[in-house]
Short mmCIF file of all heavy atoms in Angstrom, two decimals:
data_model
loop_
_atom_site.label_atom_id
_atom_site.label_comp_id
_atom_site.label_asym_id
_atom_site.label_seq_id
_atom_site.Cartn_x
_atom_site.Cartn_y
_atom_site.Cartn_z
N GLU A 180 8.94 -23.35 -4.43
CA GLU A 180 8.81 -24.11 -5.68
C GLU A 180 8.10 -23.28 -6.74
O GLU A 180 7.19 -22.50 -6.45
CB GLU A 180 8.03 -25.40 -5.41
CG GLU A 180 8.69 -26.31 -4.39
CD GLU A 180 7.71 -27.26 -3.74
OE1 GLU A 180 6.93 -26.81 -2.88
OE2 GLU A 180 7.72 -28.44 -4.10
N ASN A 181 8.51 -23.49 -7.99
CA ASN A 181 8.03 -22.65 -9.08
C ASN A 181 6.51 -22.77 -9.29
O ASN A 181 5.86 -21.78 -9.63
CB ASN A 181 8.76 -23.03 -10.37
CG ASN A 181 8.64 -21.94 -11.44
OD1 ASN A 181 8.98 -20.78 -11.19
ND2 ASN A 181 8.13 -22.31 -12.59
N TRP A 182 5.95 -23.96 -9.05
CA TRP A 182 4.52 -24.15 -9.31
C TRP A 182 3.64 -23.35 -8.34
O TRP A 182 2.46 -23.13 -8.59
CB TRP A 182 4.14 -25.62 -9.26
CG TRP A 182 4.23 -26.28 -7.90
CD1 TRP A 182 5.30 -26.96 -7.39
CD2 TRP A 182 3.21 -26.34 -6.90
NE1 TRP A 182 5.02 -27.43 -6.13
CE2 TRP A 182 3.74 -27.06 -5.80
CE3 TRP A 182 1.91 -25.84 -6.81
CZ2 TRP A 182 3.01 -27.31 -4.64
CZ3 TRP A 182 1.17 -26.08 -5.65
CH2 TRP A 182 1.73 -26.79 -4.58
N ARG A 183 4.24 -22.90 -7.24
CA ARG A 183 3.48 -22.12 -6.26
C ARG A 183 3.42 -20.62 -6.64
O ARG A 183 2.66 -19.87 -6.01
CB ARG A 183 4.14 -22.23 -4.88
CG ARG A 183 4.16 -23.63 -4.31
CD ARG A 183 4.81 -23.64 -2.92
NE ARG A 183 4.88 -24.99 -2.37
CZ ARG A 183 3.88 -25.57 -1.69
NH1 ARG A 183 2.76 -24.91 -1.48
NH2 ARG A 183 4.03 -26.79 -1.22
N ILE A 184 4.19 -20.19 -7.61
CA ILE A 184 4.36 -18.77 -7.91
C ILE A 184 3.61 -18.40 -9.17
O ILE A 184 3.75 -19.05 -10.21
CB ILE A 184 5.85 -18.43 -8.07
CG1 ILE A 184 6.64 -18.88 -6.83
CG2 ILE A 184 6.04 -16.94 -8.32
CD1 ILE A 184 8.14 -18.85 -7.02
N CYS A 185 2.83 -17.32 -9.10
CA CYS A 185 2.05 -16.86 -10.27
C CYS A 185 2.23 -15.35 -10.41
O CYS A 185 1.96 -14.60 -9.48
CB CYS A 185 0.58 -17.20 -10.06
SG CYS A 185 -0.51 -16.54 -11.35
N ASN A 186 2.69 -14.92 -11.58
CA ASN A 186 2.82 -13.49 -11.85
C ASN A 186 1.46 -12.96 -12.29
O ASN A 186 1.11 -12.97 -13.46
CB ASN A 186 3.87 -13.25 -12.94
CG ASN A 186 4.14 -11.78 -13.17
OD1 ASN A 186 3.49 -10.91 -12.58
ND2 ASN A 186 5.10 -11.48 -14.03
N SER A 187 0.69 -12.46 -11.32
CA SER A 187 -0.67 -12.01 -11.57
C SER A 187 -0.76 -10.52 -11.85
O SER A 187 -1.80 -10.03 -12.30
CB SER A 187 -1.55 -12.33 -10.35
OG SER A 187 -1.06 -11.63 -9.21
N GLY A 188 0.33 -9.77 -11.57
CA GLY A 188 0.24 -8.32 -11.61
C GLY A 188 -0.38 -7.80 -10.32
O GLY A 188 -0.78 -8.56 -9.44
N SER A 189 -0.48 -6.50 -10.23
CA SER A 189 -0.99 -5.85 -9.01
C SER A 189 -2.49 -5.63 -9.06
O SER A 189 -3.00 -5.11 -10.07
CB SER A 189 -0.28 -4.52 -8.81
OG SER A 189 -0.95 -3.75 -7.83
N PRO A 190 -3.23 -5.95 -7.99
CA PRO A 190 -4.67 -5.64 -7.96
C PRO A 190 -4.93 -4.13 -8.02
O PRO A 190 -5.98 -3.70 -8.52
CB PRO A 190 -5.14 -6.25 -6.64
CG PRO A 190 -3.92 -6.45 -5.83
CD PRO A 190 -2.81 -6.69 -6.78
N VAL A 191 -4.00 -3.33 -7.52
CA VAL A 191 -4.18 -1.87 -7.61
C VAL A 191 -4.14 -1.42 -9.05
O VAL A 191 -4.93 -0.55 -9.47
CB VAL A 191 -3.10 -1.15 -6.78
CG1 VAL A 191 -3.27 0.36 -6.92
CG2 VAL A 191 -3.18 -1.55 -5.33
N VAL A 192 -3.24 -2.00 -9.85
CA VAL A 192 -3.17 -1.64 -11.27
C VAL A 192 -4.48 -1.98 -11.96
O VAL A 192 -4.98 -1.24 -12.81
CB VAL A 192 -1.98 -2.35 -11.94
CG1 VAL A 192 -2.04 -2.20 -13.46
CG2 VAL A 192 -0.66 -1.76 -11.42
N GLU A 193 -5.08 -3.12 -11.60
CA GLU A 193 -6.39 -3.48 -12.17
C GLU A 193 -7.42 -2.41 -11.84
O GLU A 193 -8.20 -2.00 -12.73
CB GLU A 193 -6.85 -4.83 -11.63
CG GLU A 193 -8.21 -5.24 -12.16
CD GLU A 193 -8.63 -6.64 -11.77
OE1 GLU A 193 -7.78 -7.40 -11.25
OE2 GLU A 193 -9.81 -6.97 -11.99
N THR A 194 -7.42 -1.93 -10.61
CA THR A 194 -8.34 -0.85 -10.24
C THR A 194 -8.09 0.40 -11.06
O THR A 194 -9.03 1.02 -11.58
CB THR A 194 -8.19 -0.53 -8.74
OG1 THR A 194 -8.55 -1.66 -7.96
CG2 THR A 194 -9.06 0.65 -8.35
N LEU A 195 -6.83 0.76 -11.22
CA LEU A 195 -6.48 1.98 -11.97
C LEU A 195 -6.92 1.89 -13.42
O LEU A 195 -7.32 2.89 -14.02
CB LEU A 195 -4.97 2.20 -11.92
CG LEU A 195 -4.33 2.41 -10.54
CD1 LEU A 195 -2.85 2.68 -10.66
CD2 LEU A 195 -4.99 3.54 -9.78
N LEU A 196 -6.83 0.70 -14.00
CA LEU A 196 -7.13 0.55 -15.41
C LEU A 196 -8.62 0.34 -15.69
O LEU A 196 -9.07 0.50 -16.82
CB LEU A 196 -6.35 -0.64 -15.97
CG LEU A 196 -4.82 -0.47 -16.04
CD1 LEU A 196 -4.16 -1.76 -16.48
CD2 LEU A 196 -4.44 0.67 -16.98
N THR A 197 -9.39 -0.01 -14.67
CA THR A 197 -10.80 -0.38 -14.91
C THR A 197 -11.80 0.55 -14.24
O THR A 197 -12.94 0.64 -14.68
CB THR A 197 -11.07 -1.81 -14.45
OG1 THR A 197 -10.75 -1.93 -13.06
CG2 THR A 197 -10.23 -2.80 -15.25
N GLU A 198 -11.41 1.23 -13.17
CA GLU A 198 -12.38 2.04 -12.42
C GLU A 198 -12.45 3.47 -12.96
O GLU A 198 -11.43 4.07 -13.31
CB GLU A 198 -12.00 2.08 -10.94
CG GLU A 198 -13.03 2.83 -10.09
CD GLU A 198 -12.78 2.64 -8.61
OE1 GLU A 198 -12.00 1.75 -8.24
OE2 GLU A 198 -13.39 3.38 -7.83
N LYS A 199 -13.65 4.01 -13.02
CA LYS A 199 -13.85 5.40 -13.43
C LYS A 199 -13.52 6.30 -12.24
O LYS A 199 -14.22 6.26 -11.22
CB LYS A 199 -15.27 5.63 -13.91
CG LYS A 199 -15.51 7.01 -14.50
CD LYS A 199 -16.95 7.17 -14.98
CE LYS A 199 -17.15 8.51 -15.69
NZ LYS A 199 -16.80 9.67 -14.88
N LEU A 200 -12.49 7.09 -12.39
CA LEU A 200 -12.07 7.97 -11.30
C LEU A 200 -12.67 9.37 -11.47
O LEU A 200 -13.27 9.68 -12.50
CB LEU A 200 -10.54 8.05 -11.27
CG LEU A 200 -9.82 6.72 -11.03
CD1 LEU A 200 -8.32 6.87 -11.14
CD2 LEU A 200 -10.21 6.12 -9.67
N TYR A 201 -12.50 10.22 -10.45
CA TYR A 201 -13.06 11.57 -10.49
C TYR A 201 -12.31 12.45 -11.47
O TYR A 201 -11.07 12.33 -11.63
CB TYR A 201 -13.02 12.19 -9.09
CG TYR A 201 -13.85 11.48 -8.06
CD1 TYR A 201 -13.25 10.94 -6.91
CD2 TYR A 201 -15.22 11.34 -8.20
CE1 TYR A 201 -14.00 10.28 -5.96
CE2 TYR A 201 -15.98 10.69 -7.24
CZ TYR A 201 -15.36 10.16 -6.13
OH TYR A 201 -16.12 9.50 -5.19
N SER A 202 -13.02 13.33 -12.10
CA SER A 202 -12.43 14.29 -13.03
C SER A 202 -11.81 15.46 -12.24
O SER A 202 -12.03 15.61 -11.03
CB SER A 202 -13.49 14.84 -13.98
OG SER A 202 -14.44 15.63 -13.25
N LYS A 203 -11.05 16.29 -12.95
CA LYS A 203 -10.49 17.49 -12.32
C LYS A 203 -11.58 18.39 -11.77
O LYS A 203 -11.45 18.94 -10.67
CB LYS A 203 -9.64 18.27 -13.33
CG LYS A 203 -8.21 17.78 -13.48
CD LYS A 203 -7.42 18.78 -14.30
CE LYS A 203 -5.94 18.46 -14.30
NZ LYS A 203 -5.13 19.49 -15.00
N GLN A 204 -12.65 18.54 -12.52
CA GLN A 204 -13.75 19.39 -12.08
C GLN A 204 -14.38 18.84 -10.79
O GLN A 204 -14.66 19.59 -9.85
CB GLN A 204 -14.80 19.48 -13.17
CG GLN A 204 -16.01 20.35 -12.82
CD GLN A 204 -15.65 21.78 -12.52
OE1 GLN A 204 -14.77 22.36 -13.19
NE2 GLN A 204 -16.30 22.38 -11.52
N GLU A 205 -14.58 17.53 -10.75
CA GLU A 205 -15.15 16.91 -9.55
C GLU A 205 -14.21 17.07 -8.35
O GLU A 205 -14.66 17.34 -7.23
CB GLU A 205 -15.43 15.43 -9.82
CG GLU A 205 -16.59 15.20 -10.77
CD GLU A 205 -16.74 13.76 -11.17
OE1 GLU A 205 -15.70 13.13 -11.49
OE2 GLU A 205 -17.89 13.24 -11.19
N LEU A 206 -12.91 16.93 -8.59
CA LEU A 206 -11.94 17.11 -7.50
C LEU A 206 -11.92 18.55 -7.01
O LEU A 206 -11.76 18.81 -5.81
CB LEU A 206 -10.55 16.69 -7.96
CG LEU A 206 -10.32 15.19 -8.19
CD1 LEU A 206 -8.93 14.94 -8.74
CD2 LEU A 206 -10.52 14.41 -6.90
N GLN A 207 -12.08 19.47 -7.91
CA GLN A 207 -12.11 20.89 -7.53
C GLN A 207 -13.29 21.15 -6.60
O GLN A 207 -13.16 21.88 -5.59
CB GLN A 207 -12.21 21.76 -8.78
CG GLN A 207 -12.19 23.25 -8.47
CD GLN A 207 -12.10 24.11 -9.71
OE1 GLN A 207 -11.50 23.69 -10.71
NE2 GLN A 207 -12.69 25.28 -9.68
N GLU A 208 -14.41 20.54 -6.89
CA GLU A 208 -15.59 20.72 -6.05
C GLU A 208 -15.46 20.00 -4.71
O GLU A 208 -15.91 20.49 -3.68
CB GLU A 208 -16.83 20.21 -6.80
CG GLU A 208 -17.15 21.04 -8.05
CD GLU A 208 -18.23 20.39 -8.90
OE1 GLU A 208 -18.72 19.30 -8.52
OE2 GLU A 208 -18.58 20.97 -9.95
N MET A 209 -14.82 18.83 -4.71
CA MET A 209 -14.71 18.02 -3.50
C MET A 209 -13.62 18.50 -2.55
O MET A 209 -13.78 18.47 -1.33
CB MET A 209 -14.44 16.55 -3.87
CG MET A 209 -15.56 15.91 -4.68
SD MET A 209 -15.09 14.33 -5.41
CE MET A 209 -15.20 13.27 -3.98
N LEU A 210 -12.50 18.97 -3.11
CA LEU A 210 -11.32 19.32 -2.30
C LEU A 210 -10.91 20.78 -2.43
O LEU A 210 -9.90 21.18 -1.85
CB LEU A 210 -10.15 18.43 -2.68
CG LEU A 210 -10.32 16.93 -2.46
CD1 LEU A 210 -9.12 16.18 -3.01
CD2 LEU A 210 -10.54 16.61 -1.00
N ALA A 211 -11.68 21.56 -3.18
CA ALA A 211 -11.35 22.98 -3.41
C ALA A 211 -9.93 23.15 -3.96
O ALA A 211 -9.16 24.01 -3.53
CB ALA A 211 -11.51 23.77 -2.11
N ILE A 212 -9.59 22.32 -4.95
CA ILE A 212 -8.26 22.36 -5.57
C ILE A 212 -8.21 23.47 -6.62
O ILE A 212 -9.10 23.61 -7.45
CB ILE A 212 -7.93 20.99 -6.21
CG1 ILE A 212 -7.74 19.93 -5.13
CG2 ILE A 212 -6.66 21.09 -7.07
CD1 ILE A 212 -7.59 18.53 -5.65
N ASN A 213 -7.11 24.22 -6.57
CA ASN A 213 -6.87 25.26 -7.57
C ASN A 213 -5.94 24.69 -8.65
O ASN A 213 -4.74 24.52 -8.42
CB ASN A 213 -6.23 26.48 -6.91
CG ASN A 213 -5.83 27.56 -7.93
OD1 ASN A 213 -6.20 27.50 -9.10
ND2 ASN A 213 -5.09 28.55 -7.46
N TRP A 214 -6.48 24.37 -9.81
CA TRP A 214 -5.70 23.71 -10.87
C TRP A 214 -4.85 24.70 -11.65
O TRP A 214 -4.16 24.30 -12.60
CB TRP A 214 -6.63 22.95 -11.81
CG TRP A 214 -7.30 21.78 -11.16
CD1 TRP A 214 -8.60 21.66 -10.83
CD2 TRP A 214 -6.67 20.56 -10.74
NE1 TRP A 214 -8.85 20.46 -10.23
CE2 TRP A 214 -7.67 19.74 -10.17
CE3 TRP A 214 -5.36 20.07 -10.78
CZ2 TRP A 214 -7.42 18.48 -9.66
CZ3 TRP A 214 -5.10 18.80 -10.28
CH2 TRP A 214 -6.12 18.02 -9.72
N LYS A 215 -4.85 25.98 -11.26
CA LYS A 215 -4.02 26.95 -11.96
C LYS A 215 -2.53 26.72 -11.67
O LYS A 215 -1.66 27.16 -12.40
CB LYS A 215 -4.42 28.37 -11.57
CG LYS A 215 -5.81 28.76 -12.07
CD LYS A 215 -6.16 30.18 -11.64
CE LYS A 215 -7.56 30.55 -12.13
NZ LYS A 215 -7.95 31.93 -11.68
N LEU A 216 -2.28 26.05 -10.53
CA LEU A 216 -0.90 25.73 -10.14
C LEU A 216 -0.71 24.22 -10.12
O LEU A 216 -1.69 23.47 -9.91
CB LEU A 216 -0.60 26.31 -8.75
CG LEU A 216 -0.59 27.83 -8.62
CD1 LEU A 216 -0.49 28.21 -7.15
CD2 LEU A 216 0.56 28.44 -9.42
N PRO A 217 0.51 23.74 -10.31
CA PRO A 217 0.76 22.28 -10.23
C PRO A 217 0.43 21.76 -8.83
O PRO A 217 0.81 22.36 -7.83
CB PRO A 217 2.27 22.16 -10.54
CG PRO A 217 2.65 23.43 -11.22
CD PRO A 217 1.75 24.48 -10.67
N LEU A 218 -0.26 20.60 -8.80
CA LEU A 218 -0.68 20.02 -7.53
C LEU A 218 0.27 18.90 -7.11
O LEU A 218 0.67 18.07 -7.93
CB LEU A 218 -2.10 19.45 -7.64
CG LEU A 218 -2.65 18.77 -6.38
CD1 LEU A 218 -2.95 19.79 -5.31
CD2 LEU A 218 -3.90 17.96 -6.71
#
Side-chain angles (χ1 to χ4, degrees):
E180 300 157 286
N181 198 55
W182 68 267
R183 298 181 182 274
I184 305 168
C185 175
N186 185 356
S187 62
S189 167
V191 178
V192 169
E193 179 173 349
T194 297
L195 300 182
L196 293 174
T197 58
E198 184 169 347
K199 187 179 186 303
L200 299 175
Y201 296 120
S202 66
K203 276 190 171 185
Q204 180 60 39
E205 289 172 316
L206 290 176
Q207 183 172 329
E208 294 171 359
M209 297 168 77
L210 298 175
I212 291 172
N213 176 11
W214 293 109
K215 293 179 180 178
L216 294 171
L218 178 71

